[in-house]
């Protein structure tokens, strides 16, 4: 049997670039004569912008620190041991860069076992142990604290989570086993499954305490000092920690069943991590921790060697790293300052844009429209949203007054835009309308002003073609709802110059959006892929396959919603309009569905109706069913899925050939941030590679081996 030290030494050799965390031990006398105490501080030597992680060498360092305090505890020279982090950070878990490098199941098993073997020693010490969650704690950072006897948490703690399931792993260093035994299965399922699958929802310090994960809650300013006073009281016996009785009967089973329901509704069985975590939680009911740890090791190793985790890490890296350095963006020193923003249009989309520019840039924003009533409605919407933020305590009264003072509406573009630096239009999606608006704006705007269009599918170059200065026109395509979806497709027209493009990227960064540069090609990235995807679904329905079969065929991808529910969200009329635009550009691949046209003509908002009797599940609207004219070609779910995926793989291949974006990675980044496609798919290209679709359709995978898969 390998010792922990040997396991970690072997793992460290595989990962020479680890940012190593030290575990410093210091001693002091506790207040109230409670005795001599050892405090271990986890610190990687960098400030809070580089959070502390656990790679193999870091675990080995913690193990060496525990060697020291174990000896002191055994000889009676200390009364307790605490673990805390550097300022603002406790620890954020395993170092994923190391996980990416693992090629063998045995190496993956060593990481799971190594973490358990080190953390377990904290609970086995001869004295009580305390975790002081002073700052951000995630994954293995949370778990090291779970192995301690007691925990305190700071009210200022901004983020606490077990995000493993979100990435395609399980909390594998004690989380799946200890947490349900500490706070009960129901609360544990919320933290491990539900929060993870809800876009990795984080807990604040107060919630950590209320869930029972921490035994005491203290202010951030003197958190460690208060924690040590409390520690002394616990050791002196003046404070007794009461923990509620855990329901190990039916309540436990119901919690696991609820977890399976949540997993099914989110990933539809398409990603294994949530189900593996639930199996371990279910098996932990009898309180046998070691059996649970062994199951965690096995699950961790299996998942590390599986495609979903590699796709999850790839997706995580896209969102965390690539999104911050957009491919193809010009030098940011070329960007011009933006001190006033103009918005053409005052409808819902334009009003949402005005609110976003106002909140993020905090500069004057002026809206225009064709009549005073619309202008007033747009400004009124922005004021109403500011009031909501004030009501929720997100901003104070001064800020609310200032923001309201910065937004205005005018009918006269000359009065509104004469000193604007950035003007965006969000008017009707019709080329002639947009060209007319830009001609009017160009006549009154200063020479340096950027003219941006929020078009979802029209040519930016054609829109700019009749202007005297087409070089300052740029596509700036947001996704609805603007406040939630991070993606911003920045479109370079044929004449767009570098300064205009650099300014657009600078504004996008201030808006806190994920900007991806795209060529001026029909429907750009997300709408082109989704329209091809939806178009193929529509085709199989038109040809004769039932709506139910066509929808169910896509479930194994684990998308956030089914294709026809998505169509409802987008609006059938917009879906039809984009398919018509793409049909004009690529008639051989993009069809215009007569059934969709009939649904739009009938004024239907979608294919489904929802009723309380059916728990608001989607049911085919009888009026829509009566409109459908279908052929007699009926496909199976497998045939539908193959056809849809082949179409998507073909379209992505063509987009990359055309240079619509720099690389396949940008396609995935767009789908994750603009269409909510799941991390476990890695967007789409890793999934198409893994399923063999890329090879079948294009003769090669989109990504090199090891980019979103196990290295060769």
């Amino acid at each position: 049997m390998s010792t922990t030290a040997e396991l970690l030494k072997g793992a460290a050799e595989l990962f020479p670039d680890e940012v190593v965390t030290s575990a410093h031990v210091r001693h002091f006398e506790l207040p109230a004569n409670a005795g001599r105490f050892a405090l271990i501080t986890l610190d990687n030597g960098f400030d809070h912008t580089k959070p502390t992680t656990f790679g193999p060498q870091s675990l080995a360092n913690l193990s060496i620190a525990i060697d020291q305090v174990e000896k002191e505890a055994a000889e009676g020279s200390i009364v307790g041991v605490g673990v805390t982090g550097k300022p603002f950070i406790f620890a954020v878990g395993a170092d994923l860069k190391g996980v990416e490098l693992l090629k063998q199941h045995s190496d993956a098993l060593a990481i799971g076992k190594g973490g358990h073997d080190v953390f377990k020693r904290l609970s086995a010490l001869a004295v009580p142990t305390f975790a002081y969650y002073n700052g951000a704690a995630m994954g293995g950072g949370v778990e090291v604290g779970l192995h301690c006897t007691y925990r305190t948490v700071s009210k200022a703690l901004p983020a606490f989570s077990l995000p493993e399931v979100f990435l395609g792993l399980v909390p594998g260093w004690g989380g799946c086993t200890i947490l349900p035994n500490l706070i009960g299965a129901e609360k544990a399922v919320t933290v491990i499954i539900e929060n993870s699958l809800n876009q990795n929802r984080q807990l604040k310090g107060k919630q950590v305490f209320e869930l029972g994960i921490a035994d005491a809650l203290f202010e951030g300013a003197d958190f460690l000092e208060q924690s040590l006073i409390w520690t002394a009281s616990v050791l002196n016996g003046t404070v007794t920690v009461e923990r509620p009785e855990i329901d190990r009967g039916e309540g436990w089973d119901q919690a696991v069943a609820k977890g399976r329901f949540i997993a099914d509704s989110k990933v539809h069985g398409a990603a294994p991590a949530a189900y593996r975590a639930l199996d371990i939680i279910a098996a932990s009911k009898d309180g046998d921790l070691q059996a649970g740890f062994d199951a965690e090791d096995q699950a961790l190793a299996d998942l590390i060697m599986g495609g979903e985790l590699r796709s999850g890490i790839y997706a995580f890296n896209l969102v965390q790293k690539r999104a911050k350095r957009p491919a193809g963006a010009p030098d940011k020193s070329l960007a011009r300052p933006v001190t006033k923003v103009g918005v053409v249009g005052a409808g819902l989309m334009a009003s949402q844009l005005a609110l976003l520019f106002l909140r993020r840039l905090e500069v004057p924003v002026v809206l225009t429209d064709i009549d005073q009533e619309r202008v007033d409605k747009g400004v009124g919407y922005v004021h109403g949203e500011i009031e909501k933020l004030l009501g929720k305590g997100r901003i104070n009264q001064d800020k609310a007054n200032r923001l309201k003072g910065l937004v205005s509406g005018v009918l006269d573009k000359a009065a509104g835009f004469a000193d604007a630096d950035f003007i965006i239009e969000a008017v009707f999606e019709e080329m002639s309308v947009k060209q007319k608006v830009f001609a009017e704006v160009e006549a009154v705007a200063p020479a340096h002003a950027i003219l941006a269009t929020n078009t979802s599918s029209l040519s930016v170059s054609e829109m700019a073609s009749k202007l005297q200065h087409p070089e300052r026109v740029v596509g700036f395509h947001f996704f609805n709802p603007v406040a939630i979806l991070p993606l911003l497709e920045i479109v370079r027209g044929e004449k767009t110059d570098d300064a205009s493009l650099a300014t657009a990227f600078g504004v996008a960064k201030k808006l806190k959006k994920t900007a991806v540069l795209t060529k001026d090609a029909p429907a750009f990235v997300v709408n082109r892929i989704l329209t091809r995807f939806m178009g193929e679904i529509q085709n199989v329905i038109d040809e004769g396959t039932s709506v139910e079969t066509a929808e169910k065929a896509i479930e194994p991808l684990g998308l956030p919603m089914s294709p026809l529910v998505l169509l409802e969200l987008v609006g059938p009329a917009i879906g039809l309009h984009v398919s018509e635009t793409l049909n004009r550009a690529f008639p051989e691949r993009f069809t215009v569905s007569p059934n969709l046209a009939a649904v739009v003509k009938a004024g239907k908002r979608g294919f489904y109706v929802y009723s309380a009797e059916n728990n608001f599940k989607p049911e085919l609207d009888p009026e829509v069913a009566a409109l459908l004219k279908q052929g007699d070609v009926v496909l199976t779910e497998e045939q539908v899925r193959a056809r849809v995926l082949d179409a998507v793989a073909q379209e992505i291949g063509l987009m990359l050939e055309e240079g619509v974006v720099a690389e396949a990675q940008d396609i995935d980044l767009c789908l994750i941030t603009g269409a909510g496609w799941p991390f476990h798919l890695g967007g789409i290209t890793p999934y198409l590679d893994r399923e063999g679709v890329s090879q079948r359709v294009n003769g090669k995978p989109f990504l090199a081996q090891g980019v979103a898969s196990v290295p060769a």
Side-chain angles (χ1 to χ4, degrees), residues 113-134:
K113 223 176 137 17
H116 271 131
D117 288 352
V118 174
F119 290 0
K120 259 180 356 195
R121 297 179 64 200
L122 287 166
S123 54
L125 291 178
V127 293
T129 47
F130 297 79
Y132 306 130
Y133 291 125
N134 64 303

PDB file of all heavy atoms in Angstrom, residues 113-134:
ATOM      1  N   LYS A 113      -7.810  10.019  -2.824  1.00  0.00           N
ATOM      2  CA  LYS A 113      -7.342   9.367  -1.602  1.00  0.00           C
ATOM      3  C   LYS A 113      -6.411  10.281  -0.802  1.00  0.00           C
ATOM      4  O   LYS A 113      -6.506  10.387   0.415  1.00  0.00           O
ATOM      5  CB  LYS A 113      -6.608   8.075  -1.978  1.00  0.00           C
ATOM      6  CG  LYS A 113      -6.980   6.933  -1.063  1.00  0.00           C
ATOM      7  CD  LYS A 113      -6.349   5.646  -1.489  1.00  0.00           C
ATOM      8  CE  LYS A 113      -5.804   4.857  -0.336  1.00  0.00           C
ATOM      9  NZ  LYS A 113      -6.272   5.221   0.991  1.00  0.00           N
ATOM     10  N   GLY A 114      -5.548  10.998  -1.531  1.00  0.00           N
ATOM     11  CA  GLY A 114      -4.596  11.904  -0.878  1.00  0.00           C
ATOM     12  C   GLY A 114      -5.317  12.983  -0.082  1.00  0.00           C
ATOM     13  O   GLY A 114      -4.969  13.266   1.068  1.00  0.00           O
ATOM     14  N   GLY A 115      -6.345  13.593  -0.696  1.00  0.00           N
ATOM     15  CA  GLY A 115      -7.118  14.629  -0.010  1.00  0.00           C
ATOM     16  C   GLY A 115      -7.807  14.090   1.230  1.00  0.00           C
ATOM     17  O   GLY A 115      -7.749  14.697   2.312  1.00  0.00           O
ATOM     18  N   HIS A 116      -8.434  12.923   1.082  1.00  0.00           N
ATOM     19  CA  HIS A 116      -9.110  12.306   2.235  1.00  0.00           C
ATOM     20  C   HIS A 116      -8.126  12.008   3.368  1.00  0.00           C
ATOM     21  O   HIS A 116      -8.403  12.283   4.537  1.00  0.00           O
ATOM     22  CB  HIS A 116      -9.764  10.986   1.813  1.00  0.00           C
ATOM     23  CG  HIS A 116     -11.160  11.149   1.312  1.00  0.00           C
ATOM     24  ND1 HIS A 116     -11.600  10.599   0.136  1.00  0.00           N
ATOM     25  CD2 HIS A 116     -12.223  11.807   1.838  1.00  0.00           C
ATOM     26  CE1 HIS A 116     -12.871  10.909  -0.039  1.00  0.00           C
ATOM     27  NE2 HIS A 116     -13.270  11.643   0.979  1.00  0.00           N
ATOM     28  N   ASP A 117      -7.007  11.405   2.987  1.00  0.00           N
ATOM     29  CA  ASP A 117      -6.052  10.976   4.015  1.00  0.00           C
ATOM     30  C   ASP A 117      -5.518  12.160   4.823  1.00  0.00           C
ATOM     31  O   ASP A 117      -5.303  12.053   6.027  1.00  0.00           O
ATOM     32  CB  ASP A 117      -4.886  10.199   3.381  1.00  0.00           C
ATOM     33  CG  ASP A 117      -5.312   8.806   2.912  1.00  0.00           C
ATOM     34  OD1 ASP A 117      -6.463   8.415   3.222  1.00  0.00           O
ATOM     35  OD2 ASP A 117      -4.514   8.127   2.238  1.00  0.00           O
ATOM     36  N   VAL A 118      -5.324  13.308   4.141  1.00  0.00           N
ATOM     37  CA  VAL A 118      -4.818  14.492   4.850  1.00  0.00           C
ATOM     38  C   VAL A 118      -5.928  15.115   5.701  1.00  0.00           C
ATOM     39  O   VAL A 118      -5.750  15.359   6.899  1.00  0.00           O
ATOM     40  CB  VAL A 118      -4.256  15.532   3.847  1.00  0.00           C
ATOM     41  CG1 VAL A 118      -3.873  16.826   4.573  1.00  0.00           C
ATOM     42  CG2 VAL A 118      -3.042  14.961   3.114  1.00  0.00           C
ATOM     43  N   PHE A 119      -7.088  15.359   5.091  1.00  0.00           N
ATOM     44  CA  PHE A 119      -8.176  16.048   5.810  1.00  0.00           C
ATOM     45  C   PHE A 119      -8.670  15.239   7.010  1.00  0.00           C
ATOM     46  O   PHE A 119      -9.000  15.806   8.058  1.00  0.00           O
ATOM     47  CB  PHE A 119      -9.349  16.331   4.867  1.00  0.00           C
ATOM     48  CG  PHE A 119      -9.082  17.390   3.820  1.00  0.00           C
ATOM     49  CD1 PHE A 119      -7.863  18.046   3.731  1.00  0.00           C
ATOM     50  CD2 PHE A 119     -10.072  17.746   2.904  1.00  0.00           C
ATOM     51  CE1 PHE A 119      -7.620  19.010   2.771  1.00  0.00           C
ATOM     52  CE2 PHE A 119      -9.851  18.708   1.942  1.00  0.00           C
ATOM     53  CZ  PHE A 119      -8.618  19.341   1.866  1.00  0.00           C
ATOM     54  N   LYS A 120      -8.728  13.908   6.842  1.00  0.00           N
ATOM     55  CA  LYS A 120      -9.231  13.019   7.914  1.00  0.00           C
ATOM     56  C   LYS A 120      -8.411  13.155   9.196  1.00  0.00           C
ATOM     57  O   LYS A 120      -8.907  12.934  10.296  1.00  0.00           O
ATOM     58  CB  LYS A 120      -9.132  11.557   7.451  1.00  0.00           C
ATOM     59  CG  LYS A 120     -10.427  10.985   6.980  1.00  0.00           C
ATOM     60  CD  LYS A 120     -10.368   9.537   6.522  1.00  0.00           C
ATOM     61  CE  LYS A 120      -9.057   8.832   6.491  1.00  0.00           C
ATOM     62  NZ  LYS A 120      -9.102   7.583   5.714  1.00  0.00           N
ATOM     63  N   ARG A 121      -7.155  13.502   9.030  1.00  0.00           N
ATOM     64  CA  ARG A 121      -6.268  13.593  10.197  1.00  0.00           C
ATOM     65  C   ARG A 121      -6.724  14.711  11.145  1.00  0.00           C
ATOM     66  O   ARG A 121      -6.451  14.662  12.336  1.00  0.00           O
ATOM     67  CB  ARG A 121      -4.827  13.813   9.741  1.00  0.00           C
ATOM     68  CG  ARG A 121      -4.287  12.639   8.911  1.00  0.00           C
ATOM     69  CD  ARG A 121      -2.874  12.900   8.444  1.00  0.00           C
ATOM     70  NE  ARG A 121      -1.956  12.998   9.584  1.00  0.00           N
ATOM     71  CZ  ARG A 121      -0.766  13.582   9.535  1.00  0.00           C
ATOM     72  NH1 ARG A 121      -0.353  14.134   8.402  1.00  0.00           N
ATOM     73  NH2 ARG A 121       0.012  13.630  10.599  1.00  0.00           N
ATOM     74  N   LEU A 122      -7.420  15.717  10.591  1.00  0.00           N
ATOM     75  CA  LEU A 122      -7.907  16.817  11.440  1.00  0.00           C
ATOM     76  C   LEU A 122      -8.949  16.323  12.437  1.00  0.00           C
ATOM     77  O   LEU A 122      -8.985  16.748  13.586  1.00  0.00           O
ATOM     78  CB  LEU A 122      -8.507  17.940  10.580  1.00  0.00           C
ATOM     79  CG  LEU A 122      -7.492  18.793   9.804  1.00  0.00           C
ATOM     80  CD1 LEU A 122      -8.184  19.624   8.737  1.00  0.00           C
ATOM     81  CD2 LEU A 122      -6.707  19.698  10.760  1.00  0.00           C
ATOM     82  N   SER A 123      -9.813  15.398  11.980  1.00  0.00           N
ATOM     83  CA  SER A 123     -10.862  14.899  12.883  1.00  0.00           C
ATOM     84  C   SER A 123     -10.312  13.838  13.840  1.00  0.00           C
ATOM     85  O   SER A 123     -10.946  13.507  14.841  1.00  0.00           O
ATOM     86  CB  SER A 123     -12.032  14.337  12.078  1.00  0.00           C
ATOM     87  OG  SER A 123     -11.579  13.376  11.171  1.00  0.00           O
ATOM     88  N   ALA A 124      -9.116  13.317  13.523  1.00  0.00           N
ATOM     89  CA  ALA A 124      -8.548  12.243  14.361  1.00  0.00           C
ATOM     90  C   ALA A 124      -7.583  12.772  15.432  1.00  0.00           C
ATOM     91  O   ALA A 124      -7.034  11.998  16.214  1.00  0.00           O
ATOM     92  CB  ALA A 124      -7.816  11.242  13.460  1.00  0.00           C
ATOM     93  N   LEU A 125      -7.363  14.094  15.472  1.00  0.00           N
ATOM     94  CA  LEU A 125      -6.431  14.647  16.462  1.00  0.00           C
ATOM     95  C   LEU A 125      -6.945  14.423  17.892  1.00  0.00           C
ATOM     96  O   LEU A 125      -8.155  14.291  18.118  1.00  0.00           O
ATOM     97  CB  LEU A 125      -6.224  16.149  16.226  1.00  0.00           C
ATOM     98  CG  LEU A 125      -5.464  16.561  14.946  1.00  0.00           C
ATOM     99  CD1 LEU A 125      -5.398  18.068  14.834  1.00  0.00           C
ATOM    100  CD2 LEU A 125      -4.063  15.967  14.908  1.00  0.00           C
ATOM    101  N   ALA A 126      -6.024  14.449  18.840  1.00  0.00           N
ATOM    102  CA  ALA A 126      -6.383  14.209  20.256  1.00  0.00           C
ATOM    103  C   ALA A 126      -7.054  15.422  20.909  1.00  0.00           C
ATOM    104  O   ALA A 126      -7.471  15.350  22.062  1.00  0.00           O
ATOM    105  CB  ALA A 126      -5.116  13.830  21.031  1.00  0.00           C
ATOM    106  N   VAL A 127      -7.136  16.544  20.151  1.00  0.00           N
ATOM    107  CA  VAL A 127      -7.793  17.759  20.682  1.00  0.00           C
ATOM    108  C   VAL A 127      -8.848  18.228  19.676  1.00  0.00           C
ATOM    109  O   VAL A 127      -8.785  17.866  18.491  1.00  0.00           O
ATOM    110  CB  VAL A 127      -6.750  18.899  20.898  1.00  0.00           C
ATOM    111  CG1 VAL A 127      -5.777  18.543  22.006  1.00  0.00           C
ATOM    112  CG2 VAL A 127      -6.004  19.227  19.599  1.00  0.00           C
ATOM    113  N   PRO A 128      -9.811  19.054  20.105  1.00  0.00           N
ATOM    114  CA  PRO A 128     -10.810  19.558  19.155  1.00  0.00           C
ATOM    115  C   PRO A 128     -10.167  20.432  18.072  1.00  0.00           C
ATOM    116  O   PRO A 128      -9.151  21.099  18.308  1.00  0.00           O
ATOM    117  CB  PRO A 128     -11.753  20.395  20.034  1.00  0.00           C
ATOM    118  CG  PRO A 128     -11.529  19.912  21.428  1.00  0.00           C
ATOM    119  CD  PRO A 128     -10.088  19.489  21.485  1.00  0.00           C
ATOM    120  N   THR A 129     -10.795  20.414  16.884  1.00  0.00           N
ATOM    121  CA  THR A 129     -10.288  21.225  15.763  1.00  0.00           C
ATOM    122  C   THR A 129     -11.362  22.224  15.343  1.00  0.00           C
ATOM    123  O   THR A 129     -12.562  21.950  15.451  1.00  0.00           O
ATOM    124  CB  THR A 129      -9.882  20.344  14.573  1.00  0.00           C
ATOM    125  OG1 THR A 129     -10.925  19.396  14.327  1.00  0.00           O
ATOM    126  CG2 THR A 129      -8.592  19.607  14.835  1.00  0.00           C
ATOM    127  N   PHE A 130     -10.911  23.374  14.845  1.00  0.00           N
ATOM    128  CA  PHE A 130     -11.823  24.466  14.499  1.00  0.00           C
ATOM    129  C   PHE A 130     -11.469  24.992  13.111  1.00  0.00           C
ATOM    130  O   PHE A 130     -10.299  25.226  12.824  1.00  0.00           O
ATOM    131  CB  PHE A 130     -11.668  25.617  15.506  1.00  0.00           C
ATOM    132  CG  PHE A 130     -12.031  25.253  16.922  1.00  0.00           C
ATOM    133  CD1 PHE A 130     -11.126  24.533  17.724  1.00  0.00           C
ATOM    134  CD2 PHE A 130     -13.253  25.607  17.457  1.00  0.00           C
ATOM    135  CE1 PHE A 130     -11.448  24.188  19.027  1.00  0.00           C
ATOM    136  CE2 PHE A 130     -13.586  25.266  18.763  1.00  0.00           C
ATOM    137  CZ  PHE A 130     -12.690  24.550  19.555  1.00  0.00           C
ATOM    138  N   ALA A 131     -12.495  25.181  12.262  1.00  0.00           N
ATOM    139  CA  ALA A 131     -12.264  25.847  10.972  1.00  0.00           C
ATOM    140  C   ALA A 131     -12.854  27.242  11.068  1.00  0.00           C
ATOM    141  O   ALA A 131     -13.988  27.410  11.523  1.00  0.00           O
ATOM    142  CB  ALA A 131     -12.939  25.073   9.851  1.00  0.00           C
ATOM    143  N   TYR A 132     -12.097  28.233  10.662  1.00  0.00           N
ATOM    144  CA  TYR A 132     -12.561  29.622  10.683  1.00  0.00           C
ATOM    145  C   TYR A 132     -12.699  30.091   9.229  1.00  0.00           C
ATOM    146  O   TYR A 132     -11.716  30.506   8.616  1.00  0.00           O
ATOM    147  CB  TYR A 132     -11.574  30.509  11.441  1.00  0.00           C
ATOM    148  CG  TYR A 132     -11.248  30.024  12.844  1.00  0.00           C
ATOM    149  CD1 TYR A 132      -9.917  29.904  13.264  1.00  0.00           C
ATOM    150  CD2 TYR A 132     -12.270  29.686  13.755  1.00  0.00           C
ATOM    151  CE1 TYR A 132      -9.608  29.470  14.548  1.00  0.00           C
ATOM    152  CE2 TYR A 132     -11.967  29.244  15.039  1.00  0.00           C
ATOM    153  CZ  TYR A 132     -10.638  29.128  15.437  1.00  0.00           C
ATOM    154  OH  TYR A 132     -10.333  28.687  16.708  1.00  0.00           O
ATOM    155  N   TYR A 133     -13.921  30.010   8.697  1.00  0.00           N
ATOM    156  CA  TYR A 133     -14.171  30.406   7.304  1.00  0.00           C
ATOM    157  C   TYR A 133     -14.168  31.933   7.228  1.00  0.00           C
ATOM    158  O   TYR A 133     -15.185  32.588   7.349  1.00  0.00           O
ATOM    159  CB  TYR A 133     -15.521  29.873   6.827  1.00  0.00           C
ATOM    160  CG  TYR A 133     -15.616  28.369   6.647  1.00  0.00           C
ATOM    161  CD1 TYR A 133     -16.621  27.640   7.295  1.00  0.00           C
ATOM    162  CD2 TYR A 133     -14.764  27.678   5.790  1.00  0.00           C
ATOM    163  CE1 TYR A 133     -16.763  26.263   7.108  1.00  0.00           C
ATOM    164  CE2 TYR A 133     -14.892  26.303   5.599  1.00  0.00           C
ATOM    165  CZ  TYR A 133     -15.892  25.594   6.263  1.00  0.00           C
ATOM    166  OH  TYR A 133     -16.025  24.242   6.070  1.00  0.00           O
ATOM    167  N   ASN A 134     -12.977  32.496   7.019  1.00  0.00           N
ATOM    168  CA  ASN A 134     -12.808  33.955   7.031  1.00  0.00           C
ATOM    169  C   ASN A 134     -13.121  34.611   5.695  1.00  0.00           C
ATOM    170  O   ASN A 134     -13.346  35.814   5.620  1.00  0.00           O
ATOM    171  CB  ASN A 134     -11.359  34.307   7.410  1.00  0.00           C
ATOM    172  CG  ASN A 134     -10.382  33.785   6.360  1.00  0.00           C
ATOM    173  OD1 ASN A 134     -10.352  32.585   6.082  1.00  0.00           O
ATOM    174  ND2 ASN A 134      -9.596  34.668   5.770  1.00  0.00           N
TER     175      ASN A 134
END
